[in-house]
């Protein structure tokens, strides 16, 4: 009897000792669960967060608004990646890349510029992707009683804001005019000068613009009666711009925007990995919703 009482007392002491030292198995499970949760919070849905780094994207001027919004969205997932964006005409940006400007990603408003960079072996293999399609529009400023109804009678305008032929929207406009029989056929429509366009339109005054943003500003501010911009450029300017015509793809051809990672000798491994991650974000389903809000067509091959 004494042995049984002693054994029971020893067992009680052992239980108390274990409780004081290690806690219950449930407590351990809870601690492990908390630790796992903390680890999960340090990760994003598509991988762990990057350490501090900066990447640079060169993007067509017509992408200014949408890319700014996408950068903000990306930074919600990757707050340590600073994305520096430079916007201009795709032709100008392409030349800067060819001249050695430090750039991680190029988002062009046309295939031509990306084709040239790829031919120069400046594009990282396997990273090029077609992202969106756009459309060229003939626009005027809100409240204007212009007689112009579209591209084919644009000669009725007193002034016409038109991007240079090296700028994608300028090239697409010239291509549409060639296909509509308004300009003579040539091997490279981007080589058609602004003077030649003016002459073909009976000497109309043309404001040659450096990029589509300049065209948009010239028309929305009333400096020019009409201009050709992308449909996406009218987003947010409904109170300033009126679309007179959406030019069909039968005249312009597809207006495809490709994106790709650019070979950057100045980038370290972290910067290169972050650039590729941002490229994947730009081509994600989440990003498609934003493109569509800005009037881009995401149904591309």
């Amino acid at each position: 009897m004494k042995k049984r009482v002693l054994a029971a007392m020893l067992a009680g002491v052992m239980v108390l000792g274990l409780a004081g030292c290690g806690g219950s198995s449930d407590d351990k499970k809870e601690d492990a669960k908390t630790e796992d949760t903390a680890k999960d919070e340090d990760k994003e849905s598509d991988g762990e967060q990057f350490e501090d780094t900066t990447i640079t994207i060169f993007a067509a001027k017509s992408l200014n608004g949408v890319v700014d919004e996408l950068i903000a969205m990306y930074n919600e997932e990757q707050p340590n990646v600073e994305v520096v964006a430079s916007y201009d005409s795709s032709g100008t940006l392409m030349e800067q890349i060819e001249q050695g400007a430090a750039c991680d990603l190029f988002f062009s408003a046309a295939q031509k510029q990306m084709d040239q960079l790829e031919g120069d072996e400046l594009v990282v293999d396997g990273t090029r992707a077609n992202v969106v399609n756009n459309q060229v529009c003939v626009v005027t400023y809100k409240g204007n009683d212009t007689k112009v109804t579209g591209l084919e009678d644009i000669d009725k305008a007193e002034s016409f804001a038109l991007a240079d032929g090296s700028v994608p929207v300028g090239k697409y406009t010239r291509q549409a005019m060639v296909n509509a029989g308004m300009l003579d056929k040539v091997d490279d429509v981007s080589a058609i000068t602004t003077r030649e366009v003016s002459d073909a339109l009976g000497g109309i005054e043309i404001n040659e613009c450096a990029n589509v943003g300049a065209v948009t500003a010239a028309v929305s501010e009333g400096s020019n009666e009409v201009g050709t911009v992308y449909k996406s450029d009218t987003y947010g300017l409904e109170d300033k711009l009126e679309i007179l015509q959406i030019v069909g793809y039968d005249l312009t051809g597809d207006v495809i925007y490709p994106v790709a990672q650019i070979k950057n000798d100045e980038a370290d491994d972290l910067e290169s990995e972050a650039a590729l991650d941002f490229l994947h974000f730009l081509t994600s389903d989440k990003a498609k919703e934003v493109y569509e809000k800005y009037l881009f067509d995401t149904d591309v091959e």
Side-chain angles (χ1 to χ4, degrees), residues 66-253:
V66 67
V67 168
D68 277 352
E69 184 165 334
L70 289 171
I71 289 172
M73 289 175 60
Y74 180 72
N75 282 147
E76 291 177 1
E77 299 181 1
Q78 293 290 353
N80 301 325
V81 179
E82 180 183 0
V83 183
V84 177
S86 178
Y87 301 104
D88 209 324
S89 75
S90 298
T92 298
L93 296 172
M94 178 199 70
E95 291 176 358
Q96 292 175 359
I97 293 171
E98 289 180 323
Q99 292 167 6
C103 170
D104 297 298
L105 298 173
F106 179 44
F107 203 161
S108 176
Q111 303 277 26
K112 178 181 178 181
Q113 288 75 19
M114 192 69 78
D115 289 343
Q116 185 162 328
L117 291 180
E118 203 162 33
D120 293 337
E121 298 184 350
L122 293 173
V123 172
V124 177
D125 291 342
T127 64
R128 179 173 176 173
N130 293 334
V131 185
V132 294
N133 205 347
N134 214 338
Q135 285 184 283
V136 175
C137 296
V138 179
V139 295
T140 189
Y141 54 89
K142 205 75 171 180
N144 182 25
D145 59 352
T146 181
K147 296 179 181 178
V148 176
T149 61
L151 195 64
E152 293 193 13
D153 63 355
I154 206 165
D155 57 344
K156 294 179 181 178
E158 292 185 2
S159 61
F160 175 21
L162 174 66
D164 178 77
S166 65
V167 180
V169 73
K171 173 182 176 292
Y172 287 122
T173 300
R174 287 164 172 77
Q175 184 65 66
M177 294 176 73
V178 168
N179 290 336
M182 301 168 66
L183 292 173
D184 293 334
K185 291 184 177 180
V186 294
D187 291 334
D188 181 7
V189 295
S190 63
I192 299 174
T193 66
T194 300
R195 172 57 65 87
E196 289 172 328
V197 176
S198 176
D199 290 344
L201 297 177
I204 185 176
E205 177 190 334
I206 295 182
N207 173 19
E208 182 179 284
C209 298
N211 54 56
V212 72
V215 177
T216 304
V219 179
S220 63
E221 295 168 1
S223 299
N224 293 116
E225 184 174 340
V226 296
T228 50
V229 300
Y230 295 120
K231 185 179 179 182
S232 63
D233 292 303
T234 67
Y235 174 79
L237 293 174
E238 294 82 3
D239 60 335
K240 293 184 178 181
L241 287 177
E242 179 182 346
I243 297 176
L244 299 172
Q245 179 194 23
I246 298 176
V247 183
Y249 290 129
D250 59 321
L251 294 179
T252 63

Side-chain angles (χ1 to χ4, degrees), residues 241-279:
L241 287 177
E242 179 182 346
I243 297 176
L244 299 172
Q245 179 194 23
I246 298 176
V247 183
Y249 290 129
D250 59 321
L251 294 179
T252 63
D254 284 333
V255 186
I256 301 294
Y257 284 51
V259 68
Q261 187 172 10
I262 300 300
K263 294 179 180 178
N264 183 359
D265 293 337
E266 298 180 16
D268 57 21
D269 290 343
L270 177 59
E271 182 178 339
S272 296
E273 291 172 8
L276 185 59
D277 188 67
F278 184 51
L279 186 151

Side-chain angles (χ1 to χ4, degrees), residues 31-47:
D31 289 343
K33 183 178 180 181
T34 301
E35 184 177 348
D36 290 341
T37 301
K39 289 179 180 178
D40 289 341
E41 288 176 350
D42 288 337
K43 297 181 180 180
E44 297 302 324
S45 59
D46 59 348

